[in-house]
Amino acid sequence: MYFATRKAYAYGDYVCRASARGTTCSAPASLRADWLDEFTVERYREAFATDGEVTRRQLLRDRVRVTVAKGRSGGGRERLAGPDTSRLTFTIDSRP
């Protein structure tokens, strides 16, 4: 997934950009960037029992991966409340 800015909003989105690579994604997904970032940092802090700052370097070092499953299309008030975390899978692979 890649970060995409939204001109009319203070936040961006992480979106599937398979078409930019000339391929087709069988299950394209997207999610608000601030929600996904918050989810990732919270799970990382739980996994490592820390409340300090979590940096991109730490996430990369520990091979943190969040998989976003395709959700339903369309809007609605319930979608404005926050992410559907049932669509998210958090994993850590800290092998050297």
Side-chain angles (χ1 to χ4, degrees):
M1 297 183 89
Y2 297 89
F3 181 78
T5 59
R6 296 187 75 178
K7 293 180 183 178
Y9 298 90
Y11 59 86
D13 295 308
Y14 287 111
V15 297
C16 177
R17 292 282 192 218
S19 61
R21 295 187 312 270
T23 62
T24 302
C25 183
S26 60
S30 64
L31 191 66
R32 264 182 60 168
D34 55 343
W35 290 348
L36 187 56
D37 292 343
E38 182 179 332
F39 173 85
T40 304
V41 168
E42 285 177 7
R43 295 311 172 280
Y44 185 88
R45 286 183 174 143
E46 289 172 7
F48 287 93
T50 183
D51 60 356
E53 179 184 8
V54 176
T55 66
R56 178 177 163 82
R57 173 174 260 172
Q58 289 170 291
L59 298 173
L60 293 171
R61 177 196 66 211
D62 292 322
R63 297 182 182 156
V64 168
R65 181 180 190 93
V66 177
T67 305
V68 180
K70 183 176 180 171
R72 67 174 180 81
S73 299
R77 290 191 181 274
E78 69 278 0
R79 295 195 68 182
L80 300 176
D84 175 4
T85 56
S86 68
R87 297 176 49 206
L88 307 176
T89 305
F90 178 86
T91 57
I92 296 174
D93 178 12
S94 57
R95 290 178 288 162

